[in-house]
Amino acid sequence: MKSNKNFEASAFVKYIRISPFKVRRILDQIRGRSVKESLIILKFMPYRSSPIILNILNSAQANFLNLYNEDSKLLYVIEARADSGPMLKRFCPHAQGRGFPIKKRTSHITSMV
């Protein structure tokens, strides 16, 4: 008989050159769903961050299989978050010699199944 232990596996990627605000709108769609359903949703979403999140979710699923050798059909996305990474600060020239700051944001994306 199997123990009542919580099986969890995670995957993450750091310093992705996309804003965490844009990533979070995708992660909100898959949080709490089954991995199978989440993979289907991500496959057909038209956003730039969808393939990145799809790879992270596949990696978390593979980590689960390597750690526990259990059936991955019952997996759920427990946690999916995008934290902000370091910002690249650039300046764009504006009128009368002024410089206009541009913040190029990066993300750290974490997924746990």
Side-chain angles (χ1 to χ4, degrees):
M1 184 171 194
K2 300 213 182 226
S3 64
N4 201 5
K5 182 181 170 189
N6 288 335
F7 295 112
E8 294 177 352
S10 63
F12 61 91
V13 65
K14 291 182 164 188
Y15 306 107
I16 294 295
R17 225 342 243 116
I18 189 167
S19 172
F21 305 107
K22 294 177 183 179
V23 176
R24 284 184 194 125
R25 76 175 164 195
I26 311 299
L27 294 177
D28 290 341
Q29 298 294 318
I30 65 167
R31 193 177 295 119
R33 296 182 188 254
S34 70
V35 171
K36 184 179 179 182
E37 187 179 356
S38 298
L39 292 174
I40 293 170
I41 289 171
L42 288 170
K43 191 173 182 182
F44 294 108
M45 276 192 150
Y47 303 110
R48 190 179 131 217
S49 61
S50 295
I52 299 167
I53 298 170
L54 185 68
N55 286 340
I56 295 168
L57 202 56
N58 281 330
S59 179
Q61 186 178 11
N63 290 344
F64 181 84
L65 291 175
N66 287 335
L67 285 174
Y68 303 113
N69 248 351
E70 294 286 326
D71 188 21
S72 66
K73 292 180 182 175
L74 302 174
L75 284 180
Y76 283 87
V77 179
I78 298 169
E79 181 181 348
R81 72 171 193 263
D83 302 322
S84 61
M87 257 185 278
L88 303 173
K89 295 176 182 174
R90 303 290 183 259
F91 282 91
C92 180
H94 268 247
Q96 298 181 357
R98 291 179 174 90
F100 184 74
I102 296 173
K103 298 175 187 172
K104 298 189 175 206
R105 300 178 188 273
T106 61
S107 301
H108 302 318
I109 306 170
T110 305
S111 176
M112 187 176 291
V113 295

